[in-house]
Amino acid sequence: MGMIMEIMRHPDELYPLMKLILSAKLVEMKTPVWLSQPHWAFCYATLRKVSRSFALVIQQLPSDLRDVVCLYYLVLRALDTVEDDTCLDTEIRVPILRKFYCHFYDPEWHFSCGTMAFKVLMDQFHHVSTAFLELGKNYQEVIKDITKRMGEGMAKFLCKEVETIEDYNEYCHYAAGLCGLGLSKLFYASGREDLAPESLSISMGLFLQKISIIRDYLEDINEVPKCRMFWPRQIWSKYANKLEEFKYEENSVKAVQCLNEMVTDALLHAEDCLIYMSNVRDPGLFRFCAIPQIINMGNLAMYYNNVEIFKGVVEMRRGLCAKIIDQTRTMADVYRSFFDFCCIMESKVDRDDPNASTTLKRLESISKTCINSGTLKQRSVIFTSHFFLEIYLSLSVYDSLSSTRKFYIFNHQPEFIIPFLITSFLIMLAIHLSTKIP
């Protein structure tokens, strides 16, 4: 029912959503080579299970890089699974993390940890090792080096809490900054791109990682048998004695103020991301890089000043994600979306918030970069002013309307909308029977 209501409120998202569902189905069908090679069949099937969204985004890549990035992603997900399994003692996980890169050359190695699809990935890691050995030596060296450095960093922070902002940046560097650096090196090794500056590559990963850490507050704090805390004490201790206090309603004002400071910190990396993406030449690589950044900038706009973060996962709705995936083509699209999401955040700033002035300065700086690009008028259909109004209503206004007002909005759609929606929904339903929405 929730999906139907989303479609009825945003009928313009139905077409890209249907395309996304069909794309997911085509990805599953487009595997003749993989099926003839069990290790690659395992890799792509597992990729869809551990991240259906990434399995779609990876399709933007040129065919010669698709296998490489698929393998790279699975290796880092496996490493992350070891780090995340709090059921295992730290003494067990630390040596595994530090020597993880050594096991690529041992097709018999596996390590049981994690749950569900992640456990299958770890139990049958020999398929990943076999696939790794088929990659070119230049790709192998990049993956091995990044895995080694990430493993060392993760091991360090299993034995150390994130106390300062410097610690926070260092942890995010190991957890995702190095991932961004590795991708840039893989793009360079393919001959498709120049080697991007290291600082920009790292910022691409830091931006996404910090947004994920904000989003996962409740999941991490409720982790059993032991909670995980990645929000830096230097920030949260200004607002509470214990990080877990933010999940209680009586602390919501301080919780949101802390949240806003975390969002403001993440915004530091946005301009580096814009510079990085503006230098990507290959259209496929550009879309691969740009789509996650736009979606996460949108998520950041949702998180800002939003107490719901402390009650559960808050994410951009699927239809809007589908629209971004379908229609992101150029840097003009990226600048337009970043500019629009900055406008949304600016409209949500409470002038009494302790970090309001810093937040506004960072939003102004990002917006100025977008304006100075001279491309804001070169917008595709998705990035029109109507789209800006529509996402603002979606993120900030619609859910706060009274039921009477919602009824009025719904019943004052053009007359053709309802039959169109019914027909389209039946088509979607037929597709959905065999394909889950990512």
Side-chain angles (χ1 to χ4, degrees):
M1 190 63 184
M3 174 61 69
I4 297 174
M5 290 306 296
E6 277 189 16
I7 293 170
M8 288 180 171
R9 290 203 296 255
H10 310 282
D12 58 314
E13 293 172 4
L14 180 60
Y15 174 68
L17 192 57
M18 290 175 66
K19 283 185 67 176
L20 187 62
I21 295 170
L22 283 169
S23 295
K25 188 62 179 176
L26 288 172
V27 168
E28 292 178 11
M29 295 169 60
K30 190 179 170 183
T31 57
V33 176
W34 308 336
L35 292 177
S36 65
Q37 302 178 53
H39 48 288
W40 284 112
F42 174 84
C43 288
Y44 278 96
T46 302
L47 179 64
R48 292 195 298 271
K49 291 173 184 175
V50 299
S51 180
R52 291 183 67 84
S53 57
F54 189 81
L56 286 169
V57 174
I58 200 176
Q59 296 305 309
Q60 310 303 325
L61 290 172
S63 57
D64 57 317
L65 267 174
R66 206 171 296 149
D67 287 353
V68 177
V69 175
C70 171
L71 199 286
Y72 181 54
Y73 183 86
L74 287 179
V75 165
L76 300 188
R77 288 301 300 189
L79 191 69
D80 192 54
T81 300
V82 176
E83 182 204 18
D84 287 347
D85 195 339
T86 54
C87 292
L88 295 173
D89 290 339
T90 300
E91 294 75 14
I92 295 175
R93 286 182 286 162
V94 165
I96 294 293
L97 289 170
R98 285 180 170 154
K99 294 296 182 183
F100 198 88
Y101 71 98
C102 299
H103 303 302
F104 298 160
Y105 303 96
D106 180 2
E108 301 300 320
W109 183 86
H110 62 90
F111 180 72
S112 186
C113 65
T115 60
M116 299 183 291
F118 300 98
K119 186 178 189 308
V120 175
L121 170 61
M122 298 304 299
D123 287 342
Q124 300 188 45
F125 194 77
H126 62 279
H127 287 305
V128 179
S129 299
T130 302
F132 172 83
L133 294 174
E134 292 184 0
L135 300 180
K137 293 293 184 183
N138 52 345
Y139 295 133
Q140 287 185 21
E141 287 304 313
V142 172
I143 295 172
K144 177 184 172 183
D145 175 61
I146 295 297
T147 305
K148 179 180 180 180
R149 293 163 67 181
M150 286 180 70
E152 286 287 348
M154 289 177 172
K156 176 179 179 177
F157 278 92
L158 280 183
C159 308
K160 170 188 171 78
E161 290 192 1
V162 179
E163 296 283 346
T164 65
I165 294 174
E166 184 179 352
D167 290 340
Y168 181 48
N169 287 326
E170 185 182 5
Y171 172 75
C172 291
H173 169 82
Y174 290 129
L178 287 173
C179 176
L181 178 61
L183 283 171
S184 292
K185 289 186 174 183
L186 291 175
F187 298 163
Y188 176 69
S190 74
R192 292 179 174 273
E193 297 289 339
D194 295 331
L195 186 59
E198 187 168 308
S199 61
L200 298 182
S201 301
I202 290 170
S203 279
M204 289 283 283
L206 288 177
F207 188 58
L208 299 182
Q209 180 66 17
K210 288 187 174 184
I211 295 170
S212 295
I213 286 173
I214 293 169
R215 178 198 65 205
D216 293 339
Y217 164 84
L218 194 63
E219 178 185 339
D220 289 339
I221 211 71
N222 289 334
E223 180 77 21
V224 291
K226 182 182 179 182
C227 68
R228 297 182 298 169
M229 296 187 287
F230 300 113
W231 289 33
R233 184 185 296 272
Q234 186 177 344
I235 291 179
W236 64 256
S237 62
K238 301 175 189 177
Y239 308 96
N241 293 320
K242 295 181 179 179
L243 185 56
E244 57 264 33
E245 291 176 10
F246 292 146
K247 66 182 180 179
Y248 302 116
E249 192 168 350
E250 60 267 25
N251 301 318
S252 60
V253 173
K254 291 295 184 181
V256 169
Q257 290 176 349
C258 181
L259 166 66
N260 291 346
E261 185 167 351
M262 292 289 290
V263 170
T264 301
D265 173 79
L267 287 171
L268 275 171
H269 306 288
E271 289 178 84
D272 276 354
C273 294
L274 290 172
I275 295 171
Y276 181 97
M277 288 183 282
S278 69
N279 290 322
V280 178
R281 299 190 305 265
D282 185 275
L285 294 181
F286 171 78
R287 280 172 51 78
F288 173 80
C289 295
I291 288 168
Q293 297 290 340
I294 292 176
I295 290 174
N296 277 279
M297 186 64 176
N299 283 334
L300 204 60
M302 293 182 69
Y303 301 161
Y304 185 79
N305 217 32
N306 188 350
V307 72
E308 295 301 315
I309 282 289
F310 303 100
K311 301 176 183 179
V313 175
V314 177
E315 289 185 321
M316 187 183 292
R317 65 178 185 275
R318 287 166 289 188
L320 188 51
C321 286
K323 200 171 185 179
I324 290 170
I325 291 172
D326 181 50
Q327 299 186 17
T328 297
R329 291 287 182 272
T330 67
M331 265 311 291
D333 298 332
V334 177
Y335 285 127
R336 181 75 248 173
S337 61
F338 269 57
F339 179 81
D340 285 351
F341 288 130
C342 281
C343 291
I344 290 173
M345 275 188 269
E346 185 177 352
S347 72
K348 295 169 70 177
V349 173
D350 181 349
R351 306 295 165 162
D352 294 327
D353 186 271
N355 296 283
S357 60
T358 304
T359 306
L360 289 170
K361 285 178 183 177
R362 288 182 187 170
L363 291 172
E364 181 183 1
S365 181
I366 298 166
S367 296
K368 186 177 180 181
T369 297
C370 296
I371 293 169
N372 289 344
S373 71
T375 64
L376 293 190
K377 292 183 179 180
Q378 303 171 25
R379 55 183 78 170
S380 63
V381 176
I382 186 174
F383 300 114
T384 62
S385 57
H386 169 73
F387 172 70
F388 171 40
L389 174 63
E390 187 264 336
I391 55 179
Y392 178 79
L393 288 171
S394 169
L395 302 185
S396 308
V397 177
Y398 186 87
D399 289 334
S400 66
L401 296 175
S402 67
S403 57
T404 303
R405 181 62 178 153
K406 289 179 181 178
F407 180 81
Y408 177 85
I409 292 173
F410 174 72
N411 283 278
H412 284 71
Q413 299 293 333
E415 291 182 3
F416 69 86
I417 286 292
I418 300 303
F420 170 75
L421 286 174
I422 292 172
T423 303
S424 300
F425 178 72
L426 290 174
I427 297 171
M428 274 189 65
L429 184 62
I431 300 168
H432 188 67
L433 291 175
S434 57
T435 310
K436 292 183 179 179
I437 296 173

